[in-house]
Amino acid sequence: MLLKILKNRPSNPEISSIEIIQNARQIKGKTEEQLNQHERTSILNQLNNEHKTLILINRLYKVLGFFHPDEKKNSPNLTLEECRRAGEKSVCLLNDLKLKEVIVISESKSGSNALAFIEGMLLGNYQFIKYKSEKKAKSHSLHTIYINCAGISQKDIDQLNIVADSVFFCRNLVNEPQSWLTAVKLSEEISGMAKSSGVKVEVFNKSRIEALKMNGLLTVNKGSSRPPTFTVMEWKPSNAVNKKPIVLIGKGVVFDTGGINLKSSAGLDGMKCDMSGAAAVSGAICAIARLKLPLYIIGLLPATDNRPSGNAYVPGDIIAMMNGATVEVLNTDAEGRLILADAICYADLFKPSLLITMATLTGAAHAAIGKYGIVAMGADSSKAVAELKKCGDAVHERLAEFPFWNDYDELIKSDVADIKNVGGPYGGAITAGKFLAYFTKHPFIHLDIAGPAFVDKKDSYRGQGGTGVGVRLLVEFARVMAAKKS
Ligand code: BES
Ligand code: ZN
Ligand code: ZN
């Protein structure tokens, strides 16, 4: 999609337009040519009496739209979300009518609502149609959004495009089937995007992983006929405001069958999404680099598939992890924490100021809050969690903080090893987080995105399938951190 700033209001009456208005008077001020008497009355009625905020008039050859966000009813953040959703709704109608261009108009000096509206249009226009035979016929008609908004600059648009590119990069990876997206392919895709974004990247192959004794990753990979990878990304600009990096770790299980503890078949196809953490972290770091944010960031992305086979790990196995700790495997489907533990140990090398894990880690997180938010927990990181929560509210990738009391530690104690990889039936998302926290002494935040990473049905501008959740959150967090310390 092309976003183009138009300095002057276009005179072409044939083209679709959507105006973001601040009050109903702006409707009354339209000329007879712009809106006839019936339309004017109907719009005012819908705005004032039916309390509709988005009114789209379908003239078949063009759409005439008016959007009046309800700023009295909602907080500023929820208003932004209303704008994004309205943007997506508008795009749906434009595409249904096979229209190619639209102008978004706003006279407001603050561009934030209009920018959120355009963000919703841009993200909502995403498609994953690579595997459709008739790509042309299926692809959305809308290709250009002209922007005539007082409060929006070219820089705003450039930044929006950068973040959207990363969201699409993430969604594409999540939507790719595992037959295409092996661990090696994932590392190659990430490397390609990283290099074109100015991010330093290195991929460790199996022998390097063996040399590093990343036994969590190697053990999960035992059932696979394909090798694991461990990708290291580095964005270290000379003007970075932090000396010790923020380390972001993403789970890269390209397909999770459950292993010997095989999952049941319902919804199993969705387990191609189990690398969403790695996709989100890598996408976010590339955006952060392209935005040239002065923040030192490391990304660590362990990747493999998890399968049963004659050589697969089994319940009862005991693994000596990279840092010497021993883990009793009680369920091969709790594989994510095993591969993440290696990354957390490796992160120690960098003496991080903050370590964040992002992973589709537990069904328990999904069950607890559904697709509506990210389950978050932290150790020694309350300020960072509070900051991240604010960012989550701003981009509507919201965090629900779970308790992380010491009491939960006893649930992962093992009789035969130091810890076990399952904490029992209660507090499953938390005991998974506790397992991860066991491997670090640095300030730590764990984000479980099992709920929002992948949606079966279309969810407004998040789309269907991979949502790209986590990208906008981490980019916003990096923005805030970069601005804070400088
Ligand atoms: N990848 C799954 C978690 C998941 C569930 C992701 C739903 C996306 C949507 C994870 O590896 C898993 O299977 N976890 C187990 C852990 C259990 C065996 C302790 C789970 O949550 O059932
Ligand atoms: Zn699993
Ligand atoms: Zn998994």
Side-chain angles (χ1 to χ4, degrees):
M1 181 100 87
L2 258 179
L3 304 183
K4 281 191 187 167
I5 293 205
L6 275 190
K7 284 269 178 296
N8 301 311
R9 191 80 71 89
S11 52
N12 180 358
E14 303 298 304
I15 192 166
S16 297
S17 69
I18 298 171
E19 191 169 340
I20 299 165
I21 57 174
Q22 285 146 289
N23 53 57
R25 263 175 289 134
Q26 283 173 270
I27 300 290
K28 290 181 190 143
K30 298 285 166 211
T31 64
E32 182 67 23
E33 203 185 1
Q34 290 166 316
L35 285 179
N36 67 35
Q37 192 54 47
H38 290 299
E39 289 170 332
R40 189 189 311 248
T41 314
S42 164
I43 291 171
L44 287 171
N45 187 41
Q46 291 183 58
L47 281 177
N48 297 332
N49 303 330
E50 293 172 30
H51 304 292
K52 281 199 180 160
T53 53
L54 178 67
I55 295 147
L56 298 170
I57 302 174
N58 171 355
R59 285 182 171 166
L60 292 179
Y61 68 96
K62 77 168 185 178
V63 168
L64 204 56
F66 298 94
F67 175 53
H68 182 207
D70 193 344
E71 296 189 83
K72 281 197 197 99
K73 193 174 103 198
N74 291 322
S75 65
N77 282 332
L78 287 180
T79 298
L80 291 178
E81 180 64 1
E82 191 193 358
C83 293
R84 292 183 200 103
R85 287 178 165 267
E88 190 273 341
K89 260 196 182 169
S90 311
V91 156
C92 279
L93 180 60
L94 291 160
N95 280 321
D96 282 350
L97 297 175
K98 301 266 176 285
L99 298 169
K100 296 178 180 160
E101 300 173 317
V102 63
I103 305 163
V104 176
I105 299 163
S106 166
E107 286 170 8
S108 167
K109 287 213 173 60
S110 154
S112 50
N113 284 351
L115 202 60
F117 186 89
I118 293 161
E119 183 181 32
M121 295 179 93
L122 185 58
L123 296 177
N125 203 40
Y126 169 83
Q127 292 180 286
F128 185 72
I129 50 171
K130 179 179 163 186
Y131 294 97
K132 294 264 189 200
S133 307
E134 292 177 52
K135 278 192 269 300
K136 264 215 170 117
K138 297 275 185 241
S139 80
H140 287 158
S141 55
L142 188 69
H143 59 62
T144 306
I145 302 173
Y146 295 102
I147 298 161
N148 180 237
C149 300
I152 295 184
S153 66
Q154 187 57 47
K155 194 173 165 204
D156 294 328
I157 298 302
D158 293 344
Q159 293 184 349
L160 185 59
N161 270 323
I162 287 172
V163 178
D165 280 353
S166 276
V167 172
F168 299 155
F169 169 75
C170 177
R171 287 181 186 175
N172 283 342
L173 290 179
V174 175
N175 289 331
E176 281 289 357
Q178 181 271 166
S179 55
W180 189 86
L181 194 81
T182 60
V184 168
K185 190 77 178 167
L186 177 65
S187 69
E188 287 169 357
E189 290 295 303
I190 292 172
S191 298
M193 179 73 163
K195 281 175 192 154
S196 66
S197 307
V199 173
K200 217 168 112 184
V201 61
E202 194 179 357
V203 179
F204 299 167
N205 61 13
K206 188 169 178 185
S207 45
R208 184 87 182 267
I209 293 168
E210 283 167 343
L212 287 164
K213 298 194 170 54
M214 292 182 162
N215 291 334
L217 181 55
L218 290 165
T219 299
V220 174
N221 181 253
K222 273 171 77 179
S224 175
S225 55
R226 296 183 173 116
T229 57
F230 188 91
T231 303
V232 181
M233 303 174 80
E234 182 190 271
W235 169 243
K236 192 178 185 182
S238 56
N239 60 347
V241 296
N242 54 335
K243 283 220 168 62
K244 293 200 258 168
I246 296 175
V247 175
L248 306 177
I249 296 175
K251 173 177 173 182
V253 172
V254 288
F255 195 87
D256 184 11
T257 67
I260 293 295
N261 291 98
L262 196 62
K263 287 182 183 291
S264 63
S265 50
L268 191 53
D269 55 311
M271 278 304 136
K272 66 176 182 176
C273 84
D274 214 17
M275 32 55 68
S276 296
V281 163
S282 54
I285 295 177
C286 291
I288 289 164
R290 289 177 66 197
L291 292 168
K292 302 214 180 322
L293 294 180
L295 202 65
Y296 177 20
I297 296 214
I298 296 287
L300 303 176
L301 314 161
T304 178
D305 47 347
N306 180 27
R307 287 173 189 270
S309 89
N311 194 43
Y313 75 133
V314 298
D317 279 355
I318 296 176
I319 313 167
M321 303 292 280
M322 198 179 168
N323 67 348
T326 54
V327 172
E328 179 188 13
V329 174
L330 285 181
N331 192 316
T332 61
D333 198 10
E335 82 299 338
R337 64 198 77 182
L338 299 174
I339 74 167
L340 292 170
D342 283 334
I344 294 170
C345 291
Y346 189 77
D348 208 33
L349 219 75
F350 300 97
K351 304 276 167 270
S353 56
L354 177 64
L355 213 144
I356 301 179
T357 49
M358 182 167 276
T360 46
L361 204 59
T362 64
H366 192 182
I369 65 165
K371 66 175 181 181
Y372 302 101
I374 298 172
V375 166
M377 57 205 82
D380 191 21
S381 59
S382 50
K383 267 197 187 153
V385 170
E387 208 57 75
L388 201 58
K389 264 190 185 167
K390 275 197 234 161
C391 296
D393 289 341
V395 301
H396 211 73
E397 295 188 349
R398 294 167 298 177
L399 266 53
E401 191 179 355
F402 276 23
F404 214 45
W405 301 314
N406 292 339
D407 309 54
Y408 292 98
D409 291 324
E410 65 181 3
L411 298 178
I412 55 165
K413 278 190 186 143
S414 162
D415 294 332
V416 293
D418 299 336
I419 51 169
K420 54 189 180 187
N421 79 332
V422 176
Y426 306 114
I430 301 168
T431 49
K434 280 290 179 186
F435 182 96
L436 301 179
Y438 185 83
F439 292 87
T440 185
K441 292 198 163 52
H442 302 290
F444 172 64
I445 299 177
H446 167 53
L447 302 173
D448 195 329
I449 54 170
F454 193 85
V455 290
D456 294 335
K457 276 194 287 212
K458 186 168 180 246
D459 180 16
S460 181
Y461 64 89
R462 282 173 202 86
Q464 186 187 7
T467 60
V469 72
V471 174
R472 291 165 58 245
L473 171 71
L474 292 175
V475 173
E476 182 66 18
F477 183 63
R479 267 192 187 127
V480 170
M481 296 309 280
K484 244 195 173 137
K485 296 198 179 170
S486 53

